[in-house]
Amino acid sequence: MINLPIKGSGAYRVSAFRTHGYRTRRMAIDNGIPLITDIKCAKLFVEALRLVKGPPLMHPQVDCLTSHQVVRLPGLIDVHVHMREPGACHKETWTSGTLAALAGGITCVLAMPNTNPPCVGNAEFNTVNDLAESQAYCDYALYLGATANNSDKLAELAPTAAGLKMYLNETFAALKLDNVTDWIKHFNTFPRDRMIVCHAERQTLAAVIGVAAITNRPVHFCHVSNAEEIGIICEAKRNGLAVTCEVAPHHLLLTKDDVPEQLRAVKPPLGTAEDVQALWDNLKSIDCFATDHAPHTLEEKETSGPPGFPGVEVMLPLLLTEVAKKRLTMEDLIERLYTNPKRIFGLPDQPNTYVEVDLSEEWTIPTDGGFSKAKWTPFAGRKVSGRVRRVVIRGEEAFIDGQVLVKPGFGRNIRMEPTPRRTQRLPSIGGDSDAFQMEGPYKSVMRELAYRRGSGALLAPLKPISARTPAAYMPPRKTDSPPTSVPPW
Amino acid sequence: MINLPIKGSGAYRVSAFRTHGYRTRRMAIDNGIPLITDIKCAKLFVEALRLVKGPPLMHPQVDCLTSHQVVRLPGLIDVHVHMREPGACHKETWTSGTLAALAGGITCVLAMPNTNPPCVGNAEFNTVNDLAESQAYCDYALYLGATANNSDKLAELAPTAAGLKMYLNETFAALKLDNVTDWIKHFNTFPRDRMIVCHAERQTLAAVIGVAAITNRPVHFCHVSNAEEIGIICEAKRNGLAVTCEVAPHHLLLTKDDVPEQLRAVKPPLGTAEDVQALWDNLKSIDCFATDHAPHTLEEKETSGPPGFPGVEVMLPLLLTEVAKKRLTMEDLIERLYTNPKRIFGLPDQPNTYVEVDLSEEWTIPTDGGFSKAKWTPFAGRKVSGRVRRVVIRGEEAFIDGQVLVKPGFGRNIRMEPTPRRTQRLPSIGGDSDAFQMEGPYKSVMRELAYRRGSGALLAPLKPISARTPAAYMPPRKTDSPPTSVPPW
């Protein structure tokens, strides 16, 4: 076994007891498996194999076995999160929220403006951006909030913003716009290279399509949640209107009966089984998955019942589980968490940014809610297949096996030029990321998936975790060669 | 003075004491003015004038004076009335409602389907049509009502219907459609040569524009009532969307403070002064005036307060008053009560049909509510300028000076072939209507108006009625010649 300990916080963590790598090496020693943990030794070994000329004396089925299915995904984008800062740091901060995102395989979040004060003008934008800039663990951009009288000043701020958010139904915080003529004003004024996104349920959604038709511009709908809404959107798309939409995992995976009553409140509300089915039936019309990560503490939920669920940390495992169940394909997932968000919102590349997930790892979502200060999740206790192993942002290993390797403020506002202090780069680890960079994350994973599907490896039924031998973490490209063929060394 | 008594119910009413004609003739005798009341004498007199060769010996200013300004309008169309039959005959029937319309100068009404039972299928349509056919005093057509599951059968009924009515906000009776996907179904299914009209307020109106954009078909909005709605419609029209709308006189002329609280209920509600002003400011975007004639008895209004006002009998005088005040032109009025309704709803001609109104008559709207069984009006006590003198439908004098000269069932469903009993025609009176027929009602009145505007006669300030000498009723074409020129005889 060749197992090279990777660099953690400044030193090689040969003896970081909690890592899979440590446990794997320990297991090799305990079971008498030959082990190389040093890069120089490994290079010498590979050179020796090369000199052998021809296959080495080993049985691939026995000597090169992994039960892990690690794939590399592009850095995922969550176009809908609430970071609660400023105004409600007891339930989330830019630190805790972006940590949770990172742990969930999300490398860029677009944050909503219903903070306190809300992000509805220049001063508030700077306040929020300063907080984000100093704390964020992943990249981000900030939405501006529409009010009855800020259409002119928002037009100026647009270039540095994620887009414009319009609250058109009752929700948390007070940014609701009632008068349709105000909507039209914003639709006419906000620059056309930035997207307008709307919280608009049922008839309100149709009303926004009306305003989009009147003003002849595209619009994106947040958290589409029921049969009626997805039905409208399907019809609109079928007739060539420029509408896009996102669906939150909780609307795709939970009905109102699945969550205890005192925790159930969310806007839009959880639907019926028919609503959930309608979303799945019309997956083609869903452009993005987005969490609507809206943390409230458990105490708040149980007393005043504010609407919203945390979500960034568990979205990817939940959706990977649907991939495992064949309700989704991996392409579906990547389109809705990377390709489409990037296209719809005109987001720049995050160079050399990707996420490695272990498709085969089955685990149960814990009740503690992870990094978010919400400290709960409506998905607690749910068994999922797939876990985020490694997140690399702009060449930096930001997260690996539950450990965060970058500092607060590492994340950047993707709409703004990096400030000087941010141009310092840590050296990237190994040659791996450079090779990756050459073909781009999406192409890479697609090629791999295409191969795997051919061999049936990706979607093969997973063995229960207890029955498996722990194996070394292997980057996905190493598994490209068919398992029955002779390894290249 | 030549004053020829006209035929009433079968006999020349030389001594019908209540008519203006009678009073005029009496006045002539009382004041020693030469009078001819017989057609043969009049012809001899005209022949004699012809033999004189050259102007007769008279001073036109003195000898040919009228303080009446009678103009002929095309038969007016009210695209929005509720006849309450079947189901609520205590507050209106086809008899009382169409009588009120006739007295209001309306020769065709389009009746809404929220009766009891509602007009939502073939059987109900036949029920309503039988009632209408046997009672109507003016022509009519019937709207079909959309429900969640009748889109297919309505498509078949469409050719005989006025159009499709969709109730999308709370109103009187239970035809409200909540689910936008049901709206889309009707928009996709209802034949494109029939109009869909919607009760859709504020955001719901924008939602309907969305559905119209999705399904790419025109839509007409009922009773637009406030600044927000007319604002949306202006923007939609400015951007070329196929939307049309109507405004009710009560929304154009009353604010919520103008009607006592217990009578005030109407859907949509009366607006503020700003709403009223916005409607006037955007007159260009208002395609039709329509009464939304929705009678309830005074007792009902004062107890349970159902929403709705009667309106057919007073709309024209109210709007003529606005013409007198120069807030409207006569062209504005005719476009919105004849040209546009005909075009928007694809209504057939009513041949030889017109209304003569006396622009100069000032009167006060009485409290009794006229022919409608509602027996009240929110406009009671309002001073108006202009009164309907004569209504001719298909060559028949149907109404003259408050008297109804046709029988119940005279009115026809304009969307259906006349049944045999309806092909009997009474001989038309005099040569006048034939001459009129040659150039069509609209052209005739437009030519007249163009002339009058040139001379300033039409819009000249009216003298108080008490200061005027009662004068003979004169058909408008007789006043075509400039008052200062020598009359042709």
Side-chain angles (χ1 to χ4, degrees):
Chain A
M1 173 191 295
I2 300 175
N3 184 300
L4 306 177
I6 51 135
K7 191 181 149 191
S9 42
Y12 286 99
R13 297 176 303 154
V14 180
S15 57
F17 300 141
R18 286 172 304 177
T19 66
H20 274 273
Y22 172 78
R23 290 204 299 270
T24 305
R25 291 186 291 276
R26 179 74 201 221
M27 189 86 74
I29 290 161
D30 291 349
N31 291 280
I33 294 168
L35 173 69
I36 298 173
T37 61
D38 180 83
I39 183 74
K40 288 174 191 159
C41 294
K43 284 178 176 172
L44 282 171
F45 179 67
V46 169
E47 182 65 12
L49 284 174
R50 203 176 59 78
L51 295 172
V52 170
K53 290 194 171 124
L57 297 169
M58 67 177 181
H59 299 289
Q61 290 89 336
V62 177
D63 292 345
C64 309
L65 191 70
T66 176
S67 63
H68 286 222
Q69 290 182 301
V70 176
V71 293
R72 182 175 292 182
L73 310 176
L76 303 180
I77 299 161
D78 187 347
V79 300
H80 193 144
V81 303
H82 298 266
M83 287 306 171
R84 303 297 186 212
E85 193 180 9
C89 296
H90 66 285
K91 48 184 142 194
E92 201 74 293
T93 60
W94 275 92
T95 302
S96 59
T98 51
L99 256 180
L102 192 63
I106 293 162
T107 59
C108 182
V109 293
L110 307 189
M112 289 295 165
N114 60 338
T115 45
N116 187 6
C119 188
V120 294
N122 201 31
E124 298 89 346
F125 180 87
N126 289 338
T127 303
V128 181
N129 192 51
D130 286 349
L131 289 164
E133 195 175 37
S134 60
Q135 295 179 61
Y137 279 94
C138 67
D139 290 353
Y140 67 92
L142 306 175
Y143 285 104
L144 300 165
T147 70
N149 45 32
N150 72 348
S151 60
D152 289 337
K153 61 181 174 184
L154 291 198
E156 288 169 32
L157 273 171
T160 55
L164 175 66
K165 173 66 180 281
M166 295 175 69
Y167 288 91
L168 308 176
N169 292 107
E170 284 308 334
T171 186
F172 189 72
L175 276 175
K176 189 161 164 255
L177 267 189
D178 281 319
N179 195 312
V180 177
T181 48
D182 290 330
W183 311 0
I184 293 175
K185 220 162 31 179
H186 282 285
F187 269 70
N188 275 330
T189 316
F190 201 68
R192 286 177 182 252
D193 59 351
R194 288 289 181 267
M195 185 53 81
I196 295 180
V197 308
C198 294
H199 176 146
E201 302 175 34
R202 298 182 187 266
Q203 290 187 16
T204 312
L205 186 148
V208 172
I209 293 181
V211 169
I214 288 169
T215 56
N216 193 26
R217 70 172 287 162
V219 67
H220 176 83
F221 291 105
C222 302
H223 42 54
V224 166
S225 65
N226 56 52
E228 181 175 0
E229 289 164 16
I230 197 69
I232 302 168
I233 285 172
C234 286
E235 284 286 329
K237 285 179 176 244
R238 203 166 60 82
N239 288 279
L241 302 194
V243 299
T244 54
C245 74
E246 73 199 32
V247 170
H250 51 265
H251 290 126
L252 208 56
L253 299 171
L254 297 174
T255 69
K256 60 188 166 55
D257 302 323
D258 294 334
V259 184
E261 195 173 350
Q262 76 273 25
L263 300 177
R264 188 184 293 163
V266 64
K267 289 285 177 81
L270 294 177
T272 62
E274 291 72 36
D275 289 322
V276 170
Q277 190 54 48
L279 294 176
W280 282 104
D281 290 344
N282 294 291
L283 192 66
K284 272 189 192 162
S285 293
I286 299 172
D287 300 278
C288 306
F289 297 132
T291 59
D292 188 11
H293 177 78
H296 300 287
T297 65
L298 207 51
E299 194 195 346
E300 286 172 326
K301 290 293 280 188
E302 287 174 346
T303 52
S304 59
F309 299 154
V312 280
E313 197 164 339
V314 291
M315 173 168 64
L316 183 55
L318 287 166
L319 293 175
L320 288 173
T321 307
E322 301 307 310
V323 172
K325 288 182 190 167
K326 304 195 185 185
R327 292 177 93 185
L328 274 183
T329 66
M330 195 61 101
E331 291 92 330
D332 288 336
L333 186 149
I334 292 169
E335 273 178 19
R336 286 160 184 76
L337 284 172
Y338 173 73
T339 325
N340 291 342
K342 213 157 164 289
R343 174 180 53 80
I344 292 167
F345 291 88
L347 303 178
D349 279 328
Q350 291 180 284
N352 201 4
T353 296
Y354 55 92
V355 177
E356 285 175 351
V357 291
D358 182 348
L359 297 179
S360 58
E361 187 167 341
E362 294 188 343
W363 55 293
T364 301
I365 294 178
T367 53
D368 70 2
F371 286 101
S372 167
K373 288 177 92 166
K375 290 297 163 212
W376 72 282
T377 158
F379 293 103
R382 201 171 175 114
K383 286 190 176 157
V384 287
S385 304
R387 196 194 272 274
V388 174
R389 302 296 300 272
R390 196 158 79 113
V391 180
V392 175
I393 300 180
R394 289 175 267 111
E396 295 283 343
E397 288 200 287
F399 178 87
I400 185 155
D401 285 340
Q403 307 252 344
V404 180
L405 309 181
V406 289
K407 296 211 159 35
F410 168 75
R412 285 191 195 154
N413 188 328
I414 52 157
R415 292 287 199 217
M416 299 173 96
E417 288 296 312
T419 52
R421 74 176 166 83
R422 293 167 178 269
T423 54
Q424 298 169 346
R425 291 272 188 105
L426 295 171
S428 101
I429 297 153
D432 193 75
S433 60
D434 293 332
F436 170 83
Q437 185 64 4
M438 286 165 65
E439 60 178 357
Y442 182 61
K443 211 166 155 191
S444 154
V445 77
M446 282 296 113
R447 186 167 56 77
E448 183 176 332
L449 286 169
Y451 162 69
R452 290 196 177 196
R453 198 169 312 104
S455 71
L458 179 69
L459 299 175
L462 298 172
K463 285 178 277 178
I465 194 154
S466 56
R468 267 188 260 128
T469 316
Y473 167 72
M474 296 178 75
R477 282 178 305 115
K478 295 201 177 162
T479 63
D480 264 14
S481 44
T484 50
S485 76
V486 175
W489 58 82
Chain B
M1 174 191 297
I2 299 174
N3 183 297
L4 306 177
I6 52 137
K7 191 181 149 191
S9 42
Y12 287 99
R13 298 176 304 154
V14 181
S15 55
F17 300 141
R18 284 172 304 177
T19 66
H20 275 272
Y22 172 78
R23 290 205 298 269
T24 306
R25 291 185 290 277
R26 179 75 200 223
M27 191 86 74
I29 290 160
D30 291 350
N31 290 281
I33 293 168
L35 173 69
I36 297 172
T37 62
D38 180 86
I39 184 72
K40 289 174 191 158
C41 294
K43 284 177 177 173
L44 282 169
F45 179 67
V46 170
E47 183 65 10
L49 284 173
R50 202 176 61 80
L51 294 171
V52 170
K53 291 193 173 123
L57 295 169
M58 67 177 179
H59 299 289
Q61 291 89 336
V62 177
D63 293 345
C64 308
L65 192 68
T66 175
S67 62
H68 286 223
Q69 290 181 301
V70 176
V71 294
R72 183 175 292 182
L73 310 176
L76 303 180
I77 300 161
D78 187 346
V79 300
H80 193 145
V81 303
H82 298 266
M83 286 306 170
R84 302 296 187 214
E85 192 181 8
C89 295
H90 66 285
K91 47 184 141 193
E92 201 74 292
T93 60
W94 274 92
T95 303
S96 59
T98 52
L99 256 179
L102 192 63
I106 293 161
T107 60
C108 182
V109 293
L110 307 189
M112 288 295 165
N114 60 337
T115 45
N116 186 6
C119 188
V120 295
N122 201 30
E124 299 88 346
F125 181 87
N126 288 336
T127 304
V128 181
N129 192 51
D130 286 350
L131 290 165
E133 196 176 37
S134 61
Q135 297 178 58
Y137 279 94
C138 68
D139 290 353
Y140 67 92
L142 305 176
Y143 285 104
L144 300 165
T147 70
N149 45 32
N150 70 350
S151 60
D152 289 337
K153 61 182 173 183
L154 291 197
E156 289 169 31
L157 273 171
T160 56
L164 174 67
K165 172 68 180 281
M166 295 175 70
Y167 289 91
L168 308 177
N169 293 107
E170 284 308 333
T171 184
F172 188 73
L175 276 175
K176 188 162 164 252
L177 267 190
D178 281 319
N179 195 310
V180 178
T181 49
D182 289 331
W183 310 1
I184 293 175
K185 219 160 36 178
H186 282 286
F187 269 70
N188 275 331
T189 316
F190 202 68
R192 286 178 182 252
D193 60 350
R194 288 288 179 270
M195 185 53 81
I196 295 180
V197 308
C198 294
H199 177 145
E201 302 174 34
R202 299 181 186 264
Q203 290 187 15
T204 312
L205 186 148
V208 172
I209 293 181
V211 169
I214 287 169
T215 56
N216 193 27
R217 69 173 287 162
V219 66
H220 176 83
F221 290 105
C222 301
H223 41 55
V224 165
S225 66
N226 55 51
E228 181 176 2
E229 289 164 15
I230 197 68
I232 301 168
I233 285 172
C234 286
E235 284 285 331
K237 286 180 175 243
R238 202 166 60 83
N239 288 279
L241 301 194
V243 300
T244 54
C245 73
E246 72 198 33
V247 170
H250 50 266
H251 289 126
L252 208 55
L253 298 172
L254 297 174
T255 68
K256 60 186 165 57
D257 302 323
D258 293 334
V259 184
E261 196 172 351
Q262 76 274 26
L263 300 176
R264 188 185 294 164
V266 65
K267 289 284 175 81
L270 295 178
T272 61
E274 291 72 34
D275 289 322
V276 169
Q277 190 55 49
L279 294 175
W280 282 104
D281 290 345
N282 294 290
L283 192 65
K284 272 189 192 162
S285 292
I286 299 172
D287 300 279
C288 306
F289 297 133
T291 58
D292 188 11
H293 177 77
H296 300 286
T297 65
L298 207 50
E299 194 194 348
E300 286 172 325
K301 290 293 280 188
E302 287 174 346
T303 52
S304 60
F309 299 154
V312 280
E313 197 163 339
V314 291
M315 173 167 64
L316 182 55
L318 287 166
L319 293 175
L320 289 174
T321 307
E322 301 307 309
V323 173
K325 288 183 190 165
K326 304 195 186 186
R327 291 177 93 185
L328 275 182
T329 67
M330 194 62 100
E331 291 92 331
D332 288 335
L333 186 149
I334 292 168
E335 273 178 18
R336 285 159 185 77
L337 285 171
Y338 173 74
T339 325
N340 291 344
K342 211 157 166 288
R343 174 179 54 78
I344 292 167
F345 291 88
L347 303 178
D349 279 329
Q350 292 179 285
N352 201 5
T353 296
Y354 55 92
V355 177
E356 285 176 351
V357 291
D358 182 348
L359 298 180
S360 58
E361 187 167 341
E362 295 190 344
W363 54 293
T364 301
I365 294 177
T367 53
D368 70 3
F371 286 100
S372 168
K373 288 177 93 166
K375 290 296 162 214
W376 72 283
T377 159
F379 294 103
R382 201 172 175 112
K383 286 193 175 156
V384 286
S385 304
R387 195 194 272 274
V388 175
R389 302 297 300 275
R390 196 159 79 114
V391 180
V392 174
I393 300 180
R394 289 174 269 112
E396 294 284 341
E397 288 201 287
F399 177 89
I400 186 155
D401 284 341
Q403 309 252 343
V404 180
L405 310 181
V406 289
K407 297 213 157 37
F410 168 77
R412 285 190 195 155
N413 187 328
I414 51 157
R415 293 286 198 215
M416 300 171 96
E417 288 297 310
T419 52
R421 76 176 164 81
R422 290 166 183 271
T423 53
Q424 297 170 347
R425 291 271 189 104
L426 296 172
S428 101
I429 297 151
D432 194 74
S433 58
D434 293 332
F436 169 82
Q437 186 64 1
M438 287 165 64
E439 59 179 359
Y442 182 61
K443 210 165 154 190
S444 153
V445 78
M446 281 296 113
R447 187 167 56 77
E448 184 177 332
L449 286 168
Y451 161 70
R452 289 195 178 199
R453 198 168 313 105
S455 71
L458 179 68
L459 300 175
L462 298 171
K463 285 178 276 180
I465 194 156
S466 58
R468 269 187 260 129
T469 316
Y473 166 70
M474 295 179 74
R477 282 177 305 116
K478 296 200 177 163
T479 63
D480 263 16
S481 43
T484 51
S485 77
V486 175
W489 56 83

